[in-house]
């Protein structure tokens, strides 16, 4: 088999913190602005370990992910195939404990699930909304482009 016949995908892991009908978003100083805490998985690192590391780096909180909410295949013409994981990270607890990674983030906010389309790009809004539903239903969802696949 030739290497050009092999599919390669970048992996990323995000943390979903839910408070009633709101989710925690962070505002990145690069890229598309608002996002869930998280980032790319490093070589040799599991998606769950990457999620925990990103929470520690971005929010200054030590928190292991509790369970997988979403597995999303999300190809991007300019960036290639991506597999994006969204983990349930439980209750945030005291908002005062957040210490933002100032080199990448400039603020955070609790955003209503109903306002996601106004705050984040469409494919991310779909993924977060599906993650919220999975969290509430205590389920896991397989997505493609942020949409459920039977």
């Amino acid at each position: 088999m030739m290497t050009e016949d092999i599919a390669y995908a970048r992996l990323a892991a995000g943390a979903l913190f839910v408070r009633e009908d709101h989710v925690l978003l962070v505002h990145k100083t690069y890229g598309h602005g608002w996002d869930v805490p998280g980032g790319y998985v490093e070589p040799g690192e599991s998606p769950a370990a990457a999620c925990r590391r990103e929470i520690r780096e971005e929010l200054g909180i030590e928190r292991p992910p509790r369970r997988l909410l979403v597995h999303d295949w999300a190809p991007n013409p300019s960036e290639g195939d991506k597999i994006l994981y969204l983990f349930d990270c439980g209750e945030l607890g005291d908002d005062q404990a957040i210490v933002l990674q100032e080199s990448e983030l400039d603020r955070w906010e609790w955003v209503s699930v109903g306002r996601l389309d106004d705050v984040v790009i469409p494919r991310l809004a779909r993924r977060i909304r599906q993650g919220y539903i999975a969290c509430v239903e205590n389920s896991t969802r397989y997505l493609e482009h942020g949409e459920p696949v039977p």
Side-chain angles (χ1 to χ4, degrees):
M1 179 181 284
M2 299 178 60
T3 57
E4 62 263 9
D5 294 335
I6 297 173
Y8 292 96
R10 292 192 73 184
L11 304 178
L16 191 68
F17 291 97
V18 174
R19 182 177 286 167
E20 297 174 5
D21 66 340
H22 289 69
V23 295
L24 180 75
L25 297 182
V26 292
H27 188 265
K28 298 188 177 195
T29 57
Y30 61 91
H32 297 289
W34 291 101
D35 203 344
V36 294
Y40 285 111
V41 176
E42 295 177 355
E45 182 179 46
S46 74
C51 182
R52 184 176 192 156
R53 174 182 51 77
E54 289 288 347
I55 293 168
R56 183 175 54 253
E57 290 175 0
E58 293 187 353
L59 302 179
I61 296 169
E62 185 61 42
R63 180 68 53 87
R66 294 181 355 174
R67 65 187 182 89
L68 179 66
L69 296 172
V70 165
H71 176 282
D72 189 10
W73 177 70
N76 183 308
S78 63
E79 299 175 4
D81 287 355
K82 293 182 182 182
I83 297 177
L84 306 167
Y85 296 95
L86 191 56
F87 290 93
D88 176 359
C89 291
E91 295 288 324
L92 180 64
D94 184 7
D95 291 353
Q96 303 278 337
I98 295 175
V99 178
L100 290 179
Q101 180 182 24
E102 292 181 4
S103 62
E104 292 186 12
L105 307 173
D106 58 10
R107 61 191 183 274
W108 60 270
E109 183 177 324
W110 288 102
V111 176
S112 165
V113 174
R115 283 193 49 235
L116 286 171
D117 291 323
D118 298 331
V119 179
V120 299
I121 59 175
R123 68 178 183 259
L124 179 58
R126 291 191 302 268
R127 184 177 316 116
I128 295 171
R129 194 173 297 107
Q130 291 298 318
Y132 174 79
I133 292 167
C135 185
V136 170
E137 293 180 348
N138 197 28
S139 65
T140 301
R141 295 188 166 228
Y142 173 74
L143 311 176
E144 293 182 2
H145 304 283
E147 298 287 349
V149 176

